[in-house]
Amino acid sequence: MSRRRRRAAGTIATLALIASCTSCTIATDSPAENPCAPESSPGGVSLPRGDLQGWKQIFSDDFDDCDLGSDWGTYSGQPGGNPNSTWDASMVQVDDGLLNLNSQRTDSGWITGGVSNYPVTQQYGRWEIRMRADNSDDISYHMLLWPQNEKWPPEIDFAESVSGTRDEMSAFLHWVDDKGTNDKKGVSTGGDFSEWHTVGVEWGPGIVRYLLDGKVWAEAHSETMVPDVPMWLGLQAEAGACERREDWGMTPCSDFSEQRPDNAAVQVDWVTVYAADFDALEKMQKSGYYDPSPDAIQFTD
């Protein structure tokens, strides 16, 4: 399946609110300490606390504060290769324990929300997000890792969808092949992604594993396809999904569809990021833990 690039006009340097992260702390506010925190997790699953085997938790955010905070930056401008959408900081809202990436149809076109976790940049790691998306033929979502040096590719897209009924989610890899040509590969899985799910990715030397509710559903084992440069997390809502479906030869959108509201949201309950414990991961690899999974879709170049 072919796919057009998504990148902010100019560079991601247009992001607002980006700040250097001298100490990426893990929030521990309780509702009694924080008046903006909800009584329970909106996504039905609490934010994970603590390390995992092979992974050290270095950052988390359950969006229980009264604003976005300095560990995030808002997108602005037009996504590269997508004239149908404009990112605007007003479309990013933190409310009642949720990060809302809103979308609104205006007289001049769609405006949508997107954020960067640029201060938490690393080479290799594990990222998990608790999220859902309103049904919309027009709005797609994209959860991805982007290179710190702004030289594309690579790109790791671990959760995205142009499905108006949110019954399908895709994952992509972008890389430069041995001949110096930009290449890409994508796979998809089914589910109801208008409901809450935990999506994520594990990335290490020569391996990317895509996660859905804690299980590996797709993976790539390749020195060529898998990036080795520091990357950061981006969470994006974009308009133009109908145009993408047409470009990709998928079932076109209908003017009479019930999935064409003027407003839609992609909601995130929490984000957590882990750094690699390479000694532990090496032992896990030698034990066969990271051998290709028979239940996962295998990326091939």
Side-chain angles (χ1 to χ4, degrees), residues 52-55 276-287 290:
L52 303 174
Q53 184 182 12
W55 303 102
D277 179 344
F278 287 105
D279 289 340
L281 289 175
E282 184 177 6
K283 294 178 182 178
M284 293 164 66
Q285 185 177 27
K286 290 179 178 179
S287 71
Y290 284 105

Side-chain angles (χ1 to χ4, degrees), residues 1-2 13 25 59 67 83 146 173 211 248 280:
M1 179 182 295
S2 64
T25 57
F59 173 82
D67 55 32
W146 185 265
L173 264 180
L211 309 175
W248 296 346

Side-chain angles (χ1 to χ4, degrees), residues 23 33 48 73 80-82 94 119 128 135 158 163 194 199 227 246 250 261:
S23 60
E33 298 169 337
N82 182 4
V94 175
E128 287 191 284
N135 288 355
F158 59 92
S163 168
S194 68
V199 299
E246 184 175 351
M250 301 171 69

Side-chain angles (χ1 to χ4, degrees), residues 47 59-61 63 72 128-129 233 235 268 270-273:
L47 171 69
F59 173 82
S60 66
D61 196 338
F63 304 105
W72 300 93
E128 287 191 284
I129 301 167
L233 172 68
L235 312 177
V268 179
W270 48 257
V271 172
T272 185
V273 183

Side-chain angles (χ1 to χ4, degrees), residues 4 81-85 105 110 135-142 161-166 238-261:
R4 291 184 297 177
N82 182 4
N84 305 290
S85 189
R105 193 196 308 266
W110 281 95
N135 288 355
S136 172
D137 286 342
D138 296 281
I139 301 302
S140 59
Y141 62 80
H142 310 265
S161 178
V162 297
S163 168
T165 56
R166 306 305 184 204
E238 288 187 38
C242 287
E243 288 77 7
R244 285 199 181 94
R245 292 179 63 85
E246 184 175 351
D247 288 347
W248 296 346
M250 301 171 69
T251 303
C253 298
S254 168
D255 291 338
F256 304 101
S257 170
E258 295 180 356
Q259 317 298 333
R260 306 295 297 270

Side-chain angles (χ1 to χ4, degrees), residues 6 8 12 14-18 63 68 71-77 79 85-94 99-104 111-118 139-144 232-239 264-266 268:
R6 301 183 322 284
I12 303 301
T14 59
L15 299 178
L17 302 179
I18 288 178
F63 304 105
L68 186 61
D71 288 318
W72 300 93
T74 54
Y75 285 14
S76 63
S85 189
T86 300
W87 283 313
D88 191 284
S90 67
M91 292 291 99
V92 177
Q93 179 188 27
V94 175
L99 168 63
N100 295 284
L101 305 178
N102 296 316
S103 302
Q104 180 178 335
I111 54 175
T112 68
V115 297
S116 152
N117 191 213
Y118 185 92
I139 301 302
S140 59
Y141 62 80
H142 310 265
M143 311 297 161
L144 57 93
W232 48 259
L233 172 68
L235 312 177
Q236 304 171 186
E238 288 187 38
V266 178
V268 179

Side-chain angles (χ1 to χ4, degrees), residues 147-209:
Q148 181 186 37
N149 62 13
E150 294 290 330
K151 295 180 179 179
W152 180 91
E155 180 180 347
I156 299 174
D157 306 285
F158 59 92
E160 65 175 64
S161 178
V162 297
S163 168
T165 56
R166 306 305 184 204
D167 62 351
E168 186 177 65
M169 183 182 73
S170 299
F172 288 86
L173 264 180
H174 295 256
W175 72 95
V176 178
D177 66 19
D178 294 333
K179 298 179 181 179
T181 303
N182 294 350
D183 207 345
K184 61 180 177 292
K185 176 73 174 181
V187 296
S188 298
T189 188
D192 183 357
F193 298 98
S194 68
E195 300 293 335
W196 289 102
H197 290 278
T198 303
V199 299
V201 62
E202 288 184 349
W203 165 43
I207 184 171
V208 173
R209 306 205 312 169

